[in-house]
Structures are given as C-alpha cells and as structure tokens.
Amino acid sequence: MADKTPSQQIDDIIKLYGGWKGETLSQIRSAIKQADPDVVEAVKWRMATRPEGLPVWYHDGIVCLTETFKNDIKLVFTKGVNLSDPKKLFNARLMSKTDRAIELHEGDPVDQDGIKALFQQAVELNVNKESNKR
C-alpha cells in the first residue's frame, strides 16, 4: 500500500472491509469530500494489528478519522468537543476531553448532511485557529 497515493490507499481500505463496512466508509468519505473540496486525505497509524492504517482527513490540521472494528465503525472528530451537534449524531467518546465520535453499526443510516455540517464546523475551527496564530 505504501507506494500508492493516500486516496488509493483509502480505496483499498474500503475494498478490504467490503460489505456494509465498505459501504459505510464510502458514504462517510463521500460526505467529507462534498463538505470540503480542499480536504486532504491520508492514512496514518499503521500497526501490526491494523496494517492498513486509519483513513484521516485534514484541512489546516486533522479534522477526523475513521476506525473500523469488528461490530462497528467510528467516525472520530478530533476536536469534537468544540463542535455543536444539533442532530445529536455524536454517540461515542462522549467522555473524552477532545474527541467525539459517531458510532455506526450494520444497518445504521449514514447521515451525510449531518456529517457534512460537522465537518464544515471542524474545518472552520481549524482555519480560525491557524489564522489566530499569525
């Protein structure tokens, strides 16, 4: 996988998981790309137990990542504690001091509009933080 672009590596991760997990990852990715045409894709944190790594999306810093487990997928917003969640999509990592996550199981609908709104908020937070440093 290392000789492929990050986008190709994420394509491979989607194919690797296949089934409902692959479809869910694909829908999440689609929402993210629609929310921000300037998003940068990466694959990080490869390890023996997860050699494929984790899909990560950046815009002036990390915005979110996905983790795939045996029975669920988590879309983790790394600064989720600072985001408003009017649709109440965050249902995991609620005790974290920084992260918030959307945990999805087989058969759960993917709220693409809700994900887009959260992603756009997170990008705005990153952009404003970067502009405040100057």
Side-chain angles (χ1 to χ4, degrees):
M1 271 195 200
D3 59 337
K4 295 183 176 184
T5 68
S7 293
Q8 290 170 328
Q9 291 174 52
I10 293 173
D11 290 341
D12 289 346
I13 290 169
I14 290 169
K15 289 176 194 161
L16 172 70
Y17 286 105
W20 76 267
K21 292 178 185 175
E23 180 59 32
T24 299
L25 288 169
S26 184
Q27 289 177 35
I28 289 169
R29 184 187 197 192
S30 175
I32 289 168
K33 289 174 130 185
Q34 289 174 37
D36 181 8
D38 296 324
V39 69
V40 175
E41 294 186 310
V43 175
K44 300 282 188 184
W45 302 294
R46 287 185 173 85
M47 57 193 87
T49 57
R50 195 184 301 268
E52 71 278 10
L54 300 176
V56 181
W57 290 271
Y58 288 87
H59 187 129
D60 288 332
I62 294 177
V63 178
C64 64
L65 58 102
T66 56
E67 295 178 304
T68 305
F69 298 98
K70 182 178 180 181
N71 296 314
D72 65 79
I73 293 174
K74 286 183 182 65
L75 172 60
V76 181
F77 285 84
T78 56
K79 296 175 186 152
V81 72
N82 298 311
L83 304 178
S84 68
D85 182 20
K87 291 184 143 193
K88 305 288 186 228
L89 296 179
F90 291 140
N91 60 0
R93 296 206 182 165
L94 300 177
M95 300 304 284
S96 169
K97 292 183 181 185
T98 56
D99 298 352
R100 292 292 180 267
I102 302 168
E103 184 175 302
L104 297 159
H105 297 92
E106 186 171 8
D108 288 349
V110 175
D111 185 339
Q112 290 193 315
D113 290 335
I115 290 170
K116 286 182 213 175
L118 288 169
F119 193 89
Q120 289 166 338
Q121 271 189 75
V123 167
E124 188 175 320
L125 186 68
N126 281 359
V127 169
N128 288 336
K129 185 173 185 174
E130 287 301 312
S131 65
N132 289 337
K133 287 181 181 177
R134 295 180 189 139

